[in-house]
Amino acid sequence: MIENNQTPPGYTLVTRPDGTQFLCINDESAVKPYRLPDPLMFSDGREVLDDFDWQHRRDQILKDFARYMYGEVPTGEYTLQLTEEEAWTPALNGLGQRKQVGITIETARGQLIAHLLLHAPAGNGPYPVFLGYNFTGNHTVHPDPAIRQAEAPWLKNYPLAPRGSSVNRWCVEQVVGAGFALGTIFYGDIDPDFDDGFQNGIHPLFYHQGQTEPKPHQWGSIAAWAFGLSRALDYFETEPLVNASQVAVIGHSRLGKTALWAGASDTRFAAVISNNSGCGGAALSKRAFGENVQVINHSFPHWFCRNFKQYDAREHALPFDQHMLLALIAPRPLYVASAVDDWWSDPRGEFLGARGASAVYEFLGEKGLPMKTFPPLDQLDLSGKLAYHIRSGGHDITPWDWEQYLAFFKRNLAD
Ligand code: GTR
């Protein structure tokens, strides 16, 4: 137990739901000096000189993130089966249409179904798409009674969120009205978001004989969720109404971390949008501002691979930082967004992550992040392939955020 009067300046005492307390930095003055690895330098000190070099360096960075942070997807075989649960049906009061698809992932050990809800404008397409997980079930993103209720087996112990209860975060009409399709899946369809020792969800489907948990370098839940997003993209490749080469993967908070890892590990995603993704997302780990590696691993032991725990309170030892995760998305369009009251996600650290990745965009011949210094609240500059804003208000994804993402994606499609 740490007494309040012992809290050093620049820190605050954070109590997690299980009662464990952590000292976390909540003021710039407490951030210790740190050194960021250069994404354009090989680990042996050699400089990245051309596109060919970058491909090698990129592979090295991707492998390190997989091995030490998010975890590698096991190599076992699986099949994918796509079931039309509802054919294209007029929806949204004539503004668009709706389709629901079951994506079944099957291995020798069993199967799991992720239910995709897809809205599109009323024509024949193909439309560019936003794809992102929802936290509370497809039926919560819009009040439409035809949308299937979430039904993952482990939900039986939890109250189901009411229909339409997360409309403020989804803005279906706004997206479809702007000429985009919008796909969403309940993230719990792929893996439940609690520490179950990886006994439910997708992990056990990939265990070898006698295996009971992923190996230390194998996938945690974020990597599993990212894998699920790639399977939705597999489906888009078969769907004539959407343009599978124009899919922006989007996510808020832990699902923003997921969107970033999906975009980094699957280059078929044409654009990536990280909303308030914070620690383990766009924010630099080595600043340890707000939520840090030890706290995130304690609170959510299932999000990252076991190897990541060796960096608890040892961020300085990480062979990478999150600017390099963002650099893996280059030269594709990337939007990193923060909110000013979301200190826990370290807005400045998210900005510095984007700033650090910008060098790679420029190396690859693209305009990176337009602003060199931390921008004022609510200020926009969408002229680069990399965008950043810090919005007034708290940890959330709002219609205003969506408006910027629509404008950014549209602008980049036109290029
Ligand atoms: C918090 C967590 C953050 C963020 C957030 C969310 O509890 O500390 O890393 O992901 O949850 O997903 O809403």
Side-chain angles (χ1 to χ4, degrees):
M1 175 80 178
I2 306 158
E3 295 303 330
N4 256 328
N5 59 14
Q6 291 171 352
T7 305
Y11 286 79
T12 188
L13 194 61
V14 173
T15 307
R16 298 311 293 171
D18 68 351
T20 312
Q21 296 189 307
F22 294 95
L23 277 174
C24 295
I25 297 179
N26 73 345
D27 188 273
E28 238 11 74
S29 62
V31 174
K32 297 191 185 67
Y34 58 90
R35 247 204 54 199
L36 289 183
D38 183 347
L40 293 172
M41 189 90 87
F42 287 97
S43 44
D44 64 5
R46 209 159 40 85
E47 210 184 317
V48 171
L49 295 174
D50 50 27
D51 285 7
F52 181 80
D53 275 355
W54 168 246
Q55 276 320 311
H56 282 275
R57 175 62 172 142
R58 190 185 181 283
D59 287 349
Q60 191 180 68
I61 296 172
L62 186 65
K63 280 200 184 100
D64 283 350
F65 272 108
R67 198 160 185 87
Y68 299 109
M69 190 167 180
Y70 301 99
E72 291 171 13
V73 175
T75 48
E77 281 187 14
Y78 64 89
T79 58
L80 208 64
Q81 197 191 311
L82 304 169
T83 319
E84 191 171 85
E85 294 174 332
E86 183 190 35
W88 284 113
T89 306
L92 311 174
N93 284 323
L95 178 71
Q97 45 191 330
R98 181 192 64 238
K99 181 172 180 173
Q100 300 182 73
V101 178
I103 302 173
T104 304
I105 300 164
E106 183 164 355
T107 70
R109 303 202 152 259
Q111 58 167 227
L112 164 155
I113 308 185
H115 302 279
L116 173 80
L117 167 67
L118 186 58
H119 282 97
N124 293 324
Y127 299 106
V129 199
F130 285 90
L131 170 69
Y133 281 118
N134 62 75
F135 280 95
T136 44
N138 293 350
H139 66 283
T140 66
V141 309
H142 195 279
D144 183 345
I147 298 173
R148 294 173 65 105
Q149 286 212 154
E151 58 182 38
W154 41 89
L155 277 178
K156 61 181 184 300
N157 303 325
Y158 295 88
L160 204 60
R163 190 167 283 283
S165 53
S166 63
V167 284
N168 290 344
R169 286 189 165 177
W170 284 92
C171 316
V172 181
E173 279 86 356
Q174 188 185 354
V175 177
V176 170
F180 294 87
L182 175 59
T184 187
I185 298 174
F186 170 50
Y187 76 142
D189 281 359
I190 294 289
D191 199 37
D193 191 3
F194 52 82
D195 181 19
D196 61 348
F198 300 108
Q199 299 313 304
N200 302 286
I202 199 163
H203 297 89
L205 297 188
F206 286 82
Y207 290 156
H208 295 297
Q209 194 67 39
Q211 190 179 1
T212 55
E213 59 179 357
K215 297 191 177 135
H217 66 280
Q218 286 182 329
W219 54 354
S221 294
I222 290 177
W225 294 322
F227 175 86
L229 290 169
S230 287
R231 304 295 66 83
L233 184 47
D234 294 343
Y235 156 65
F236 288 154
E237 288 178 342
T238 72
E239 170 55 63
L241 231 82
V242 303
N243 186 341
S245 63
Q246 294 183 332
V247 180
V249 63
I250 181 167
H252 168 61
S253 206
R254 68 198 71 185
L255 298 178
K257 309 181 210 298
T258 302
L260 287 169
W261 183 238
S265 53
D266 188 339
T267 54
R268 294 175 301 162
F269 286 112
V272 182
I273 296 155
S274 149
N275 191 86
N276 306 180
S277 61
C279 179
L284 294 178
S285 303
K286 290 178 194 284
R287 281 167 52 80
F289 189 107
E291 186 171 37
N292 58 47
V293 171
Q294 183 180 31
V295 177
I296 204 167
N297 278 332
H298 173 88
S299 315
F300 308 100
H302 55 294
W303 282 1
F304 302 95
C305 74
R306 244 187 300 149
N307 275 344
F308 193 47
K309 304 219 176 1
Q310 66 186 283
Y311 299 105
D312 285 1
R314 291 183 67 245
E315 285 90 349
H316 63 274
L318 275 165
F320 46 70
D321 210 327
Q322 300 307 102
H323 64 307
M324 293 158 80
L325 174 72
L326 305 184
L328 293 174
I329 293 157
R332 292 167 290 155
L334 166 64
Y335 204 133
V336 174
S338 308
V340 69
D341 298 330
D342 186 19
W343 73 278
W344 188 238
S345 299
D346 187 14
R348 187 176 292 270
E350 295 185 310
F351 169 74
L352 292 171
R355 221 18 282 149
S358 193
V360 174
Y361 279 79
E362 264 137 46
F363 175 81
L364 295 173
E366 295 290 347
K367 181 171 176 188
L369 192 66
M371 60 282 272
K372 302 269 178 287
T373 53
F374 197 42
L377 283 195
D378 305 316
Q379 195 184 81
L380 301 167
D381 184 341
L382 306 185
S383 64
K385 278 269 141 83
L386 192 44
Y388 175 85
H389 75 232
I390 174 159
R391 168 178 56 68
S392 321
H395 188 69
D396 202 357
I397 178 165
T398 68
W400 186 86
D401 292 317
W402 274 103
E403 202 180 308
Q404 315 324 321
Y405 304 150
L406 287 165
F408 178 68
F409 196 21
K410 200 169 246 176
R411 187 177 194 286
N412 279 293
L413 288 173
D415 276 3

